[in-house]
């Protein structure tokens, strides 16, 4: 039973690490160029990994964009396009733009919240 727990923990860690690697478009390009996405067993494995979208598993992900990539990898057309390095570069650029937008938006929201709290503190006095 202890060896089964160890095996399950190791499987969890390996699948967690692999799913998060899917957030890297250059890694996806690497897999595509080596023909992994043409392998039916590998494509079935990607389908199996969709369980990571469930909240009880997703909470362990550090790079949630990997779930979007995992979803897109369910489509043959997307898998075929990833062979093209320009496709991976475009995805990479879009991710960077998204992070920049998210960071700026988050900073503005935090500033607005801090200003509101300061106004509330001043009006209470």
């Amino acid at each position: 039973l202890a060896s089964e727990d160890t095996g399950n923990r190791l499987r969890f860690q390996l699948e967690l690490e692999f799913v998060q690697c899917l957030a890297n478009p250059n890694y996806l390009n690497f897999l595509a160029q080596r023909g992994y996405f043409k392998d039916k067993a590998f494509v079935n494995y990607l389908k199996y990994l969709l369980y990571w979208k469930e909240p009880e598993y997703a909470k362990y992900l550090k790079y949630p964009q990997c779930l979007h990539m995992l979803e897109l990898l369910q489509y043959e057309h997307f898998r075929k396009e990833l062979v093209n390095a320009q496709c991976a570069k475009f995805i990479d650029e879009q991710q960077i733009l998204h992070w920049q937008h998210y960071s700026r938006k988050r900073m503005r929201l935090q500033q607005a919240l801090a200003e509101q709290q300061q106004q509330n503190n001043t009006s209470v006095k």
Side-chain angles (χ1 to χ4, degrees):
L1 192 63
S3 66
E4 189 177 317
D5 282 350
T6 302
N8 287 338
R9 194 175 314 116
L10 179 60
R11 179 175 162 187
F12 175 83
Q13 290 171 337
L14 290 172
E15 290 179 357
L16 172 64
E17 187 173 327
F18 177 72
V19 166
Q20 293 196 109
C21 286
L22 300 178
N24 182 339
N26 296 307
Y27 180 62
L28 297 179
N29 176 250
F30 170 87
L31 292 175
Q33 288 183 346
R34 279 147 190 82
Y36 283 91
F37 297 140
K38 293 178 184 171
D39 179 352
K40 186 82 171 148
F42 190 78
V43 171
N44 286 338
Y45 180 62
L46 292 172
K47 188 172 193 161
Y48 155 77
L49 291 173
L50 287 170
Y51 77 86
W52 281 96
K53 294 176 73 178
E54 299 299 321
E56 71 232 48
Y57 295 100
K59 68 183 179 184
Y60 295 103
L61 297 171
K62 187 174 182 181
Y63 307 104
Q65 67 271 27
C66 67
L67 294 178
H68 184 64
M69 292 299 166
L70 180 60
E71 187 68 40
L72 290 173
L73 286 167
Q74 304 305 309
Y75 299 96
E76 184 180 7
H77 179 74
F78 182 72
R79 294 191 304 267
K80 285 181 177 178
E81 287 297 318
L82 286 168
V83 172
N84 181 350
Q86 283 303 109
C87 176
K89 186 175 189 285
F90 176 77
I91 294 168
D92 195 35
E93 289 169 351
Q94 293 304 303
Q95 283 184 338
I96 290 169
L97 289 172
H98 176 75
W99 289 328
Q100 288 172 341
H101 173 74
Y102 173 81
S103 296
R104 283 193 297 269
K105 184 176 178 182
R106 184 178 171 99
M107 196 176 352
R108 283 194 302 268
L109 287 171
Q110 287 175 333
Q111 283 177 329
L113 183 61
E115 289 170 8
Q116 184 179 12
Q117 287 176 337
Q118 189 175 16
Q119 285 176 349
N120 290 345
N121 291 342
T122 310
S123 65
V124 170
K125 291 179 183 179

